[in-house]
Amino acid sequence: MKYSQLGHVMLDVQGTSLSAQEREVIAHPQVGGVILFARNYESVQQLIDLNRQIRACKPNILIAVDHEGGRVQRFKEGFTRIPSMYKLAQAAPTLLGPTAQLMALELMAVGIDFTFAPVLDRFNPESGVIGDRAFSESPANIIEYAGQFIEGLNAEGMAAVGKHFPGHGGVDGDTHLEGAVDSRDFQDIERTDLQPFKQLAAKLQGIMPAHVIFPCVSENPVGFSRQWLEGILRQQLHFTGAILSDDLSMVAAHIAGDPLERGLAAINAGCSMALMCNNPDGAIALIEGLEKQGLVANETRLHPLSAHKRRAQHGFNWHALHKTATWLQTHRAINNVNDM
């Protein structure tokens, strides 16, 4: 594989194939990843072709998606419909590992490196943005269930990216649309929400911080806070993987300023990669600004997010995958849960 520099920025593309400008932007040294959305998907073959186009611009680029199951699953038609993690954990907890394996196999077969999963936030019925994306209200159950899910992803060679550090379940605000503040003291957060991240940090290849403000630690959202990312996540929890910001186009991130200021705030706080989605002009401004700053990404932390070697070893073929006994058995079991 021809090696090319991986940069600090993960961005999105607008359609089901690349424009000439998008090809140029993706090839920029400050770009390290592309995140795909539902608008980028029409069919399995089209998605395979799109990912080939992306890799033609930068062969080792990271391609990701939010593919959690439930209401957060970007690719649906043709893919196994995954139930929410809350429903799956309630109905068939022993299926969590095999479900993660199936997800990994399907995504890697179309050229995806990793999904932003699992969600390690606590279930909170008052939190519409998290809700049944969470495994459980109990930190102990989250650790058990998410641990099985992580092992399932890793067993097939896919990285696991836990979110939203240190826990989004204590607030009911949607940071896509507004700022959110969790006013609890640190002892309460450490005893509850932080536990899944603390216990699972060594198993995760990536972590995504929340855009939530915890005044007990910092006046900044977690993704812009060195106290949280370097002090607590790196030093206290001994996390050595990649830290990937939540989308810097979300309203709660605007507190840091314009797109470049947001990106710099995330990187200076300790993020390995900054996500700028649904804002092409903002992404270009961020890329050009980082180039002028001369910032270089820590690729050592980004490389474990790649599934390139595993795909090459496995010889993934979408149609062959669907004939394997493992895929068929898990697919049927998941459908049984969907029918409950």
Side-chain angles (χ1 to χ4, degrees):
M1 178 178 68
K2 182 182 177 182
Y3 180 80
S4 51
Q5 180 180 337
L6 290 182
H8 277 109
V9 180
M10 177 173 279
L11 44 71
D12 56 347
V13 296
Q14 296 306 301
T16 54
S17 61
L18 296 184
S19 68
Q21 183 185 35
E22 286 171 337
R23 293 173 193 270
E24 182 179 351
V25 170
I26 290 169
H28 193 285
Q30 284 293 342
V31 175
V34 173
I35 181 171
L36 300 179
F37 291 90
R39 68 172 179 269
N40 303 123
Y41 180 68
E42 285 181 350
S43 70
V44 169
Q45 188 57 52
Q46 168 271 321
L47 182 59
I48 291 171
D49 292 341
L50 173 60
N51 288 331
R52 285 174 177 160
Q53 292 173 33
I54 293 170
R55 294 196 192 282
C57 304
K58 184 174 288 188
N60 58 320
I61 196 166
L62 298 169
I63 303 178
V65 66
D66 280 318
H67 200 85
E68 303 168 8
R71 55 197 163 96
V72 182
Q73 180 172 337
R74 307 304 187 201
F75 314 141
K76 295 178 181 178
E77 186 67 32
F79 281 76
T80 301
R81 293 297 298 270
I82 309 296
S84 73
M85 291 298 103
Y86 188 83
K87 180 176 182 178
L88 191 58
Q90 294 289 312
T94 59
L95 196 55
L96 288 164
T99 296
Q101 289 181 268
L102 177 142
M103 287 172 60
L105 289 168
E106 290 191 345
L107 291 173
M108 288 191 293
V110 296
I112 302 290
D113 285 295
F114 67 94
T115 171
F116 285 99
V119 170
L120 300 181
D121 307 301
R122 285 188 303 113
F123 173 76
N124 177 357
E126 297 181 3
S127 175
V129 68
I130 300 299
D132 64 359
R133 296 166 66 189
F135 288 91
S136 173
E137 187 174 3
S138 160
N141 286 346
I142 296 171
I143 294 165
E144 178 185 351
Y145 297 150
Q148 295 177 37
F149 188 90
I150 292 166
E151 289 172 3
L153 291 178
N154 289 172
E156 297 302 338
M158 177 169 279
V161 179
K163 59 187 185 185
H164 306 79
F165 174 79
H168 204 302
V171 295
D172 55 10
D174 184 346
T175 49
H176 293 86
L177 307 173
E178 59 184 336
V181 178
D182 190 325
S183 298
R184 291 176 296 160
D185 59 42
F186 184 74
Q187 289 71 25
D188 188 13
I189 297 162
E190 186 177 35
R191 180 178 54 83
T192 56
D193 298 62
L194 194 59
Q195 284 301 309
F197 294 93
K198 181 178 181 179
Q199 300 301 325
L200 297 171
K203 295 184 176 182
L204 294 165
Q205 289 72 46
I207 284 180
M208 173 180 280
H211 283 321
V212 177
I213 297 173
F214 295 82
C216 64
V217 172
S218 172
E219 62 183 11
N220 295 314
V222 177
F224 301 142
S225 168
R226 283 191 70 83
Q227 294 99 313
W228 274 113
L229 301 187
E230 293 292 341
I232 296 175
L233 182 54
R234 293 284 189 210
Q235 296 179 22
Q236 294 185 25
L237 272 58
H238 307 293
F239 178 65
T240 59
I243 302 175
L244 302 103
S245 84
D246 207 343
D247 181 8
L248 297 179
S249 295
M250 291 162 61
V251 171
H254 289 195
I255 190 173
D258 64 30
L260 176 57
E261 290 170 327
R262 290 174 231 159
L264 286 171
I267 293 164
N268 290 333
C271 286
S272 315
M273 185 170 280
L275 275 70
M276 183 66 72
C277 309
N278 301 306
N279 185 353
D281 291 339
I284 291 173
L286 175 56
I287 291 164
E288 292 176 346
L290 293 179
E291 182 179 30
K292 291 178 182 177
Q293 295 275 340
L295 295 180
V296 178
N298 185 335
E299 296 189 61
T300 302
R301 287 174 172 158
L302 296 176
H303 287 159
L305 299 175
S306 173
H308 173 80
K309 289 183 180 179
R310 182 60 170 166
R311 285 196 307 271
Q313 291 168 356
H314 210 289
F316 280 114
N317 178 287
W318 177 265
H319 300 292
L321 171 64
H322 288 67
K323 297 177 182 178
T324 63
T326 300
W327 182 90
L328 287 166
Q329 181 178 358
T330 305
H331 178 79
R332 289 166 182 159
I334 291 170
N335 283 340
N336 289 336
V337 174
N338 284 329
D339 292 338
M340 291 181 179

